[in-house]
Amino acid sequence: MGAVARLIQEELPGAYVHSVKLGASESADRNAGFFGNLNDQIDRVCTELSGISELQHGVNLMGFSQGGLFLRALVQRCPQLRAKTLVTFGSPHSGVARIPKCPQENDTLCNWMRRLASRGVYSWYIRDHVVQAQYFKDPERLDDYLEHNIFLPDVNMELLPRKEDYRERICALDKLVLVRFANEDMIYPELSSWFGFLDADGNRVALENSTMYQEDWLGLRELDKSSRLEFVTVEGKHMEISDQALRGIVAEYFTVAVNSPLFREQF
């Protein structure tokens, strides 16, 4: 994450750049990306950021992989955070229909997460303690998902009554930029990065054809109709983004709004 911060600072000289961390050390932070409760983590980060004076006048946000989903939920749930632009890279906004594979075969933490998740993502212990289970969505078991998933149905406004304040905070964004990797090999379905998903028969459903968009639960249709929702594709597999592409996105979307980038990188 240090490399990302340095790149942003090079593109935006003098900007205050803050990296969201969930652990006191690099290893603890990575562990929190696999094991923990997203609801508790978001509450804790909201409190932390509320005390940073440099972020009080507005902030741009950049999230990588599940970190983008984390920051989007933070925008919805943290009224103290004055979010301007949110850019997410390969983020599972609509969830995943398969537990993400590990980037390396010998990744102990990731492999342990996958073993636990395979025992039942909707069981009480795993749903509360395995991060990836908290955005797992089986299109063939939507009733179980809605009843037992503790995170994604709430932030995606799939539960009644819908929380209008969530929608208001998304609609308050100057820009929401959804970046998809052309050769995505971790997030399934890959169109989850653009809020698409699968129906019960396994057919891909693009955002604009979803009930979420047509009834505008989350405010995405309003953003789209006002030219504040952008869909971007970058070359490469999951999280294989070149410095050139990243610099281009920072330069295009972050220089006009506020000079306080905040980012979260996970997976």
Side-chain angles (χ1 to χ4, degrees):
M1 288 186 285
V4 175
R6 286 192 296 272
L7 185 148
I8 294 174
Q9 288 170 332
E10 289 172 4
E11 288 297 316
L12 304 175
Y16 175 81
V17 182
H18 180 80
S19 173
V20 175
K21 296 184 181 297
L22 299 175
S25 65
E26 185 175 342
S27 61
D29 186 61
R30 188 166 190 275
N31 185 79
F34 291 106
F35 305 108
N37 186 302
L38 282 170
N39 297 313
D40 294 341
Q41 291 175 350
I42 289 168
D43 288 346
R44 188 166 69 249
V45 169
C46 178
T47 299
E48 172 196 335
L49 299 181
S50 299
I52 300 176
S53 60
E54 290 87 349
L55 303 179
Q56 301 311 305
H57 300 293
V59 60
N60 291 316
L61 302 103
M62 177 179 289
F64 299 88
S65 195
Q66 69 185 30
L69 173 59
F70 183 99
L71 289 183
R72 194 253 296 178
L74 184 71
V75 170
Q76 295 173 226
R77 291 181 172 181
C78 188
Q80 303 94 311
L81 190 69
R82 298 178 60 187
K84 299 296 185 180
T85 296
L86 170 61
V87 181
T88 66
F89 292 84
S91 300
H93 288 292
S94 290
V96 293
R98 298 174 186 163
I99 293 296
K101 68 178 185 179
C102 299
Q104 299 175 340
E105 291 184 4
N106 61 349
D107 189 324
T108 303
L109 278 176
C110 182
N111 285 321
W112 178 234
M113 174 275 292
R114 286 180 58 83
R115 283 196 293 271
L116 283 175
S118 68
R119 299 177 183 176
V121 291
Y122 299 136
S123 63
W124 72 267
Y125 181 84
I126 293 171
R127 72 176 189 185
D128 289 355
H129 296 88
V130 176
V131 169
Q132 287 69 28
Q134 292 159 34
Y135 58 83
F136 179 84
K137 181 177 181 179
D138 186 340
E140 297 180 5
R141 298 175 59 193
L142 288 181
D143 289 344
D144 287 337
Y145 158 76
L146 292 172
E147 181 178 358
H148 299 295
N149 188 297
I150 65 169
F151 173 73
L152 194 65
D154 177 71
V155 298
N156 279 358
M157 303 276 279
E158 296 174 284
L159 302 176
L160 295 174
R162 307 198 204 282
K163 298 178 179 178
E164 186 60 26
D165 54 339
Y166 284 9
R167 186 183 184 280
E168 290 172 356
R169 290 171 195 144
I170 292 296
C171 288
L173 288 169
D174 292 337
K175 188 80 74 174
L176 173 59
V177 183
L178 306 174
V179 182
R180 179 183 72 87
F181 292 100
N183 303 113
E184 176 64 65
D185 60 346
M186 184 174 293
I187 301 300
Y188 179 80
E190 73 287 344
L191 73 168
S192 183
S193 299
W194 285 359
F195 277 95
F197 205 64
L198 306 173
D199 64 19
D201 297 319
N203 301 308
R204 283 167 162 73
V205 180
L207 168 63
E208 60 269 24
N209 296 323
S210 68
T211 305
M212 170 195 281
Y213 181 89
Q214 293 171 353
E215 297 184 358
D216 208 17
W217 299 346
L218 198 52
L220 299 177
R221 183 175 179 179
E222 180 171 329
L223 289 180
D224 193 18
K225 297 304 181 182
S226 57
S227 301
R228 290 181 290 142
L229 177 62
E230 296 206 16
F231 302 91
V232 178
T233 300
V234 296
E235 295 302 318
K237 298 179 181 179
H238 188 77
M239 291 305 299
E240 289 184 352
I241 183 169
S242 67
D243 285 357
Q244 180 181 2
L246 186 55
R247 287 180 186 277
I249 287 172
V250 171
E252 181 172 358
Y253 297 111
F254 280 4
T255 54
V256 177
V258 288
N259 233 17
S260 298
L262 170 73
F263 70 96
R264 173 68 184 162
E265 179 176 5
Q266 289 185 308
F267 235 88

